[in-house]
């Protein structure tokens, strides 16, 4: 069999497929539960690469990809084609392309530090040119283009698969992931942006959170005073789980499947359902212990509610900002497209009620993992790659940088006040009007939901889905004259760090919270624990 591999290098995890190049058939799918770089969001990954070396970041990304290839049963020497898709940071790190131009939004900063914009157009190069893949002597690497800055090939995939190029209707498309790429089409112009919502929408930075994978809670609904959990099975289908008392965790009725965590979609469903039933009255959970109890010990806390609220608020602020840039009112947004794992498994009606879909929308389509679909398309057709390049060039002039947008800043501050401080919705509306920003009305009662796929990855292949729970990437170093107090090990919240008697530290990077944590660094009493001394290690 002539073999190719398509991979979505996602911020929350990698998703890859082995493909028969002669027939175009998918043979096997492998996903990871975390990105191999320390941290749960793209800013953590950017920080790691900038402060500790692009070579280290690339080494971790490359090692993870090689471990995925092994799980797919693909040998480097035998692979003919390899295609990647994702945001510019992930694609650049994998290719070893400098990312300084992605780290700074302001042009003055770039001039001050003499930072040059990197070329991120579509390209085809020998995979063997990428460090770590020298054995792939007969393989070509296919890379789709970025639109601009933090809006990359994954956003382009979203625009194309949502049909926004051909349609002249006012519509918005959103990838409900860590970076929350979004695109608005109005008056024949496509406006793009990225809200950097954070990992809560992918089930991370949530105490019992997980990306969509087998045995995770993806939806909940009240039955009387109790909560019914719905859980993903081995094939990522939704199965009825336990019926539990949300205040105590007591199982009222046993379901058909066990759970080990909750997805971002489960979190959104829980928030909407709990708000509707007054179990949540913003900004607090209204239970005796401030916790909502789900099945098998899975819980949702006030801290989780804050994290999720920030993510939801970032999305709505992004939608408001794009409408402001296009000069249209929010009420003109009648069509919305949802992509990504969260966008697929999310109950669109519940997402609509909490404001993740514009309130005036009357039609919502859920279109799946567009990034992986496009990676597969360019693997099978070089013409498709150059088509995407032409499209990217057409829309490059209408990118909205949220980091420097006054509209986004004002809208997001109001969202934080609403979600985290308990500001009334009518007060939110009042301040939007005062700031002359597009207004948010009440949720539309008429909503047609077109769920085009049942799973974010519709086709898994005849060999099925494999979840690579351990990405197999580590950072290591020897701490000279270490006193062996092991304080660095004890403070690690995720159990990512190990140390032997000789002072050799080993960090499992997919579990490490990176720049958002670094407790190990601060716990060392003699300041001997230095991240700059870490090197990429094998298993």
């Amino acid at each position: 069999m002539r073999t190719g591999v398509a991979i979505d290098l996602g911020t929350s995890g990698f998703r890859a497929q082995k493909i028969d190049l002669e027939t175009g058939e998918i043979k096997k799918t492998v996903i990871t539960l975390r990105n191999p770089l320390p941290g749960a969001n793209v800013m953590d990954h950017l920080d790691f690469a900038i402060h500790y070396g692009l070579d280290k970041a690339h080494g971790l990304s490359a090692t993870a990809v090689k471990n995925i290839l092994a799980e797919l049963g693909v040998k480097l020497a035998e692979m003919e084609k390899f295609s990647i898709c994702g945001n510019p940071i992930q694609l650049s790190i994998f290719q070893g392309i400098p990312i300084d131009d992605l780290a700074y939004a302001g042009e003055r900063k770039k001039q001050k530090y003499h930072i040059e914009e990197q070329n991120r157009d579509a390209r085809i190069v020998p995979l063997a040119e990428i460090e770590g893949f020298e054995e792939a002597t007969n393989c070509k690497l296919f890379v789709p283009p970025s639109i601009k800055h933090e809006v990359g090939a994954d956003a382009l995939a979203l625009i194309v698969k949502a049909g926004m190029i051909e349609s002249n209707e006012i519509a918005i498309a959103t990838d409900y992931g860590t970076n929350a790429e979004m695109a608005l089409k109005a008056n024949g112009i496509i406006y793009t942006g990225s809200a950097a919502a954070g990992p809560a929408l992918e089930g991370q930075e949530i105490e019992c959170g997980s990306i969509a994978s087998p045995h995770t809670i993806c939806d909940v609904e009240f039955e009387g005073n109790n909560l019914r959990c719905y859980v993903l099975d081995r094939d990522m289908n939704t199965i009825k789980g336990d019926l539990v008392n949300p205040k105590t965790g007591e199982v009222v009725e046993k379901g058909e499947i066990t759970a080990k965590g909750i997805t971002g979609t489960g979190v959104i469903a829980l928030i909407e359902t709990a708000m509707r039933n007054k179990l949540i009255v913003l900004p607090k959970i209204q239970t005796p212990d401030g916790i909502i109890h789900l099945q098998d010990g899975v819980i949702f806390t006030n801290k989780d509610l804050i994290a999720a609220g920030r993510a939801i608020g970032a999305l709505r602020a992004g939608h408001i900002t794009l409408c402001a840039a296009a000069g249209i009112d929010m009420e003109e947004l009648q069509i919305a497209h949802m992509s990504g794992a969260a966008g697929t498994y999310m109950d669109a009606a519940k997402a609509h009620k909490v404001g993740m879909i514009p309130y005036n929308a009357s039609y919502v389509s859920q279109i799946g993992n567009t990034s992986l679909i496009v990676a597969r398309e360019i693997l099978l057709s070089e013409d498709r790659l150059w088509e995407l390049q032409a499209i990217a060039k057409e829309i490059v002039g209408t990118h909205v940088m949220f980091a420097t947008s006054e509209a986004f800043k004002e809208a997001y501050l109001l969202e934080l006040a609403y979600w985290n401080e308990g500001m009334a919705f009518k007060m939110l509306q009042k301040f939007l009007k005062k700031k002359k920003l597009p207004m948010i009305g009440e949720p539309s009662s008429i909503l047609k939901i077109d769920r085009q796929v049942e799973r974010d990855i519709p086709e898994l292949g005849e060999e099925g889905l494999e979840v690579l729970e351990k990405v197999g990437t580590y950072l290591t170093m020897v701490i000279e004259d270490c006193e062996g107090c092991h304080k660095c090990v004890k403070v690690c919240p995720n159990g990512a760090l190990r140390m032997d008697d000789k002072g050799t530290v080993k960090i499992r990077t997919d579990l490490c919270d990176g720049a958002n944590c670094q407790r190990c660094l601060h716990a060392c009493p003699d300041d001997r624990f230095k991240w700059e001394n870490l090197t990429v290690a094998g298993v």
Side-chain angles (χ1 to χ4, degrees):
M1 185 181 81
R2 292 177 53 224
T3 303
V5 171
I7 186 165
D8 166 28
L9 299 173
T11 299
S12 60
F14 292 175
R15 298 162 180 86
Q17 293 186 320
K18 177 172 66 174
I19 295 167
D20 183 334
L21 294 176
E22 293 179 352
T23 64
E25 291 181 8
I26 297 164
K27 293 298 181 181
K28 185 176 182 180
T29 302
V30 170
I31 66 172
T32 70
L33 297 180
R34 291 281 294 256
N35 188 288
L37 270 67
N41 61 66
V42 74
M43 295 311 295
D44 287 340
H45 301 163
L46 192 62
D47 177 87
F48 178 82
I50 292 289
H51 287 101
Y52 304 109
L54 178 59
D55 58 333
K56 292 177 186 176
H58 167 74
L60 292 172
S61 181
T63 300
V65 167
K66 285 190 285 187
N67 290 339
I68 289 169
L69 291 176
E71 197 70 25
L72 285 170
V74 176
K75 294 179 180 178
L76 281 176
E78 297 174 359
M79 186 166 56
E80 285 190 35
K81 291 183 178 181
F82 184 71
S83 63
I84 57 178
C85 195
N87 69 61
I89 292 170
Q90 302 298 341
L91 296 194
S92 297
I93 286 173
F94 174 76
Q95 295 173 86
I97 295 172
I99 55 173
D100 302 63
D101 59 320
L102 301 176
Y104 302 100
E107 292 302 320
R108 289 183 182 178
K109 204 83 168 179
K110 292 179 182 178
Q111 290 172 9
K112 180 180 177 181
Y113 293 111
H114 306 290
I115 295 170
E116 295 182 7
E117 293 280 348
Q118 297 294 321
N119 185 340
R120 294 187 174 85
D121 288 344
R123 67 178 193 147
I124 302 172
V125 296
L127 181 59
E129 289 184 3
I130 306 298
E131 188 174 345
F133 294 89
E134 291 81 3
E135 293 177 45
T137 52
N138 299 312
C139 184
K140 289 182 179 179
L141 171 65
F142 293 74
V143 185
S146 295
I147 297 173
K148 188 177 181 182
H149 210 283
E150 80 274 28
V151 180
D154 49 355
L156 182 59
L158 168 65
I159 291 166
V160 171
K161 302 314 290 185
M164 296 178 79
I165 303 299
E166 300 86 3
S167 174
N168 287 319
E169 294 180 295
I170 294 175
I172 195 160
T174 308
D175 184 343
Y176 288 86
T178 303
N179 302 320
E181 292 90 357
M182 54 186 68
L184 167 70
K185 186 164 187 180
N187 304 315
I189 300 171
I190 295 177
Y191 300 83
T192 60
S194 174
L201 297 179
E202 298 278 9
Q204 296 180 32
E205 289 188 1
I206 299 293
E207 187 162 332
C208 294
S210 169
I211 73 165
S213 56
H215 295 283
T216 51
I217 298 168
C218 62
D219 198 1
V220 297
E221 190 54 80
F222 267 92
E223 294 182 12
N225 293 321
N226 300 308
L227 268 178
R228 172 71 69 183
C229 299
Y230 291 89
V231 186
L232 296 174
D233 70 3
R234 181 71 181 77
D235 295 318
M236 304 292 279
N237 296 311
T238 302
I239 304 296
K240 185 184 284 190
D242 294 353
L243 183 66
V244 298
N245 182 326
K247 297 181 179 179
T248 65
E250 176 191 354
V251 178
V252 178
E253 179 186 303
K254 201 68 183 159
E256 304 170 30
I257 188 170
T258 59
K260 64 179 182 181
I262 184 169
T263 66
T265 62
V267 166
I268 299 306
L270 179 60
I271 290 173
E272 190 280 330
T273 303
M275 288 177 69
R276 181 162 29 99
N277 289 273
K278 308 300 182 186
L279 196 61
I280 290 177
V281 177
L282 292 176
K284 298 288 184 183
I285 293 170
Q286 305 298 306
T287 59
D289 59 1
I291 294 172
I292 297 176
H293 298 266
L294 303 172
Q295 74 174 78
D296 297 312
V298 176
I299 60 172
F300 185 76
T301 68
N302 276 313
K303 186 179 177 182
D304 296 335
L305 179 60
I306 289 171
R310 288 173 180 165
I312 298 168
L315 276 165
R316 187 155 61 184
H319 291 163
I320 290 169
T321 303
L322 289 185
C323 284
I328 65 168
D329 295 325
M330 288 285 282
E331 64 186 25
E332 295 181 65
L333 273 179
Q334 296 287 314
I335 300 170
H337 304 281
M338 307 172 71
S339 81
T344 301
Y345 296 113
M346 201 178 292
D347 183 320
K350 290 173 182 172
H352 182 238
K353 286 285 172 52
V354 298
M356 296 176 71
I357 298 168
Y359 278 164
N360 289 92
S362 57
Y363 171 80
V364 176
S365 67
Q366 295 174 278
I367 54 180
N369 186 322
T370 54
S371 186
L372 185 57
I373 291 171
V374 165
R376 181 186 169 205
E377 285 180 354
I378 63 174
L379 186 83
L380 296 172
S381 170
E382 186 175 326
D383 288 343
R384 184 60 167 154
L385 180 67
W386 305 124
E387 278 178 26
L388 293 173
Q389 178 63 61
I391 293 168
K393 288 296 183 187
E394 285 178 17
I395 59 178
V396 73
T398 50
H399 174 65
V400 182
M401 180 68 71
F402 290 174
T404 56
S405 167
E406 279 298 312
F408 183 81
K409 183 179 78 172
E410 297 286 0
Y412 190 45
L413 284 172
L414 293 175
E415 289 292 337
L416 291 179
Y418 172 74
W419 284 102
N420 296 164
E421 304 296 331
M423 183 175 76
F425 183 68
K426 286 187 177 180
M427 188 64 72
L428 170 65
Q429 292 175 308
K430 180 180 177 180
F431 276 106
L432 284 171
K433 186 175 182 180
K434 185 178 180 180
K435 299 288 184 182
K436 297 181 179 178
L437 292 169
M439 288 291 293
I440 302 170
E442 296 293 331
S444 166
S445 58
I446 303 170
L447 185 68
K448 180 184 177 183
I449 299 169
D450 179 12
R451 190 166 181 175
Q452 297 183 22
V453 293
E454 288 300 313
R455 299 181 296 223
D456 68 315
I457 307 174
E459 295 180 67
L460 300 176
E462 61 186 29
E463 296 176 45
L465 172 70
E466 198 71 43
V467 179
L468 194 59
E469 297 198 14
K470 292 184 179 180
V471 182
T473 51
Y474 299 87
L475 290 170
T476 187
M477 67 176 167
V478 176
I479 300 178
E480 299 295 337
D481 302 318
C482 176
E483 295 182 359
C485 67
H486 285 226
K487 287 184 179 179
C488 55
V489 177
K490 295 171 185 174
V491 298
C492 180
N494 302 326
L497 193 153
R498 300 199 307 267
M499 175 187 277
D500 64 19
D501 296 334
K502 297 177 181 177
T504 302
V505 168
K506 199 170 187 181
I507 299 174
R508 183 177 154 185
T509 60
D510 59 324
L511 294 182
C512 176
D513 280 340
N516 210 25
C517 175
Q518 293 195 340
R519 296 183 193 180
C520 52
L521 180 70
H522 305 299
C524 185
D526 299 315
D527 293 327
R528 292 195 177 101
F529 197 111
K530 299 186 183 299
W531 270 58
E532 55 265 31
N533 294 335
L534 290 164
T535 59
V536 178
V539 180

